[in-house]
Amino acid sequence: VLLQIFDAFKPRLHDSNSKVNHEALEALHKMIPLLKDHLSPVINMLIPAIVDNNLNSKNPGIYAAATNVIQALCQHLDTSLLLQPFCTKAQFLSGKAKQDLTEKLA
């Protein structure tokens, strides 16, 4: 069930409408403390959706929301679940997103 929910939710994390994108990031930020390690089956799908467009966003609200989501993941999930997806994404990112994710890995 969780996989089906996040399959439907994931496209909102990189919606072309910035308000929808921002609201999806804010909603995810609220969900993370509630779901915690139950997110493990969807973490490999979520990390790219959170990071790809949002951490390099020119929109300061979207960038801040994405940063908050990454911070919440680090606080509420077992960090061993995040290590591989963060490393994989950090290899292919550029700019501010690469710097932010590399700092989280360190």
Side-chain angles (χ1 to χ4, degrees):
V1 174
L2 190 67
L3 194 56
Q4 292 170 324
I5 292 168
F6 279 95
D7 275 343
F9 181 74
K10 181 184 138 193
R12 303 296 68 83
L13 292 169
H14 42 80
D15 197 287
S16 59
N17 182 325
S18 62
K19 290 179 184 177
V20 172
N21 189 352
H22 186 260
E23 287 300 318
L25 288 165
E26 292 291 332
L28 183 58
H29 184 252
K30 293 174 185 172
M31 285 187 262
I32 292 167
L34 302 172
L35 296 173
K36 298 182 181 176
D37 290 335
H38 296 291
L39 287 171
S40 62
V42 296
I43 204 69
N44 287 327
M45 165 197 347
L46 279 180
I47 299 293
I50 296 162
V51 170
D52 283 347
N53 298 321
N54 300 318
L55 275 185
N56 271 332
S57 178
K58 303 278 188 238
N59 181 320
I62 290 175
Y63 172 76
T67 303
N68 289 339
V69 168
I70 296 294
Q71 184 63 34
L73 288 171
C74 293
Q75 286 177 331
H76 297 285
L77 269 71
D78 180 353
T79 52
S80 66
L81 293 171
L82 301 173
L83 186 60
Q84 186 60 47
F86 278 9
C87 285
T88 301
K89 287 310 306 173
Q91 289 176 349
F92 302 105
L93 291 171
S94 61
K96 193 190 283 190
K98 185 173 189 112
Q99 179 182 347
D100 288 348
L101 214 52
T102 303
E103 287 174 9
K104 288 294 177 199
L105 282 166

